[in-house]
Amino acid sequence: MPKIPLQIPPVALPELIPSELPHQKFHLGEWVRWFQVPNGDFGRIIGVIYTQQATCIATGLHYLVLLDKRSPSRDTCSCDFAFEEDIEPLDNSFLERLQGNHV
């Protein structure tokens, strides 16, 4: 597998930062997966940002996910931003299988 340089996708700061940010559903280090696609990527949360725009117009929290080396898209990108609505925690059985493979 080719070595992929760590690159953070582009973001834009909001014009007005709200006085109160939304409650964070996911936390740093937590394992998550994209659940709305058949072969969703998975990895660990390594950052959280509040933004007004990313690749599409959306205001709110965005999670930076470091893709696991076995994640389907890892050959083309090392990390990706996820909207809270698009990811879920990995279940224990999936994590046990990963840990059995030396994560």
Side-chain angles (χ1 to χ4, degrees):
M1 182 158 64
K3 184 170 177 145
I4 298 171
L6 186 62
Q7 296 177 352
I8 297 175
V11 296
L13 294 175
E15 290 178 21
L16 296 171
I17 297 176
S19 59
E20 236 178 85
L21 294 175
H23 178 69
Q24 220 175 288
K25 182 177 178 181
F26 301 102
H27 302 283
L28 295 178
E30 188 171 353
W31 284 92
V32 295
R33 74 177 187 100
W34 278 259
F35 67 91
Q36 297 185 7
V37 292
N39 292 315
D41 284 307
F42 59 94
R44 293 181 94 169
I45 303 287
I46 60 169
V48 182
I49 62 167
Y50 180 85
T51 186
Q52 187 173 1
Q53 295 179 341
T55 55
C56 60
I57 296 175
T59 297
L61 294 176
H62 297 74
Y63 297 87
L64 182 59
V65 179
L66 176 63
L67 299 180
D68 185 81
K69 64 182 178 184
R70 292 157 290 195
S71 191
S73 298
R74 183 58 191 249
D75 287 340
T76 56
C77 66
S78 57
C79 57
D80 195 3
F81 278 109
F83 297 108
E84 196 167 82
E85 307 81 42
D86 296 334
I87 56 176
E88 68 182 3
L90 285 178
D91 62 38
N92 286 338
S93 64
F94 192 91
L95 284 173
E96 287 170 5
R97 285 193 311 257
L98 284 178
Q99 290 170 349
N101 290 322
H102 310 291
V103 172

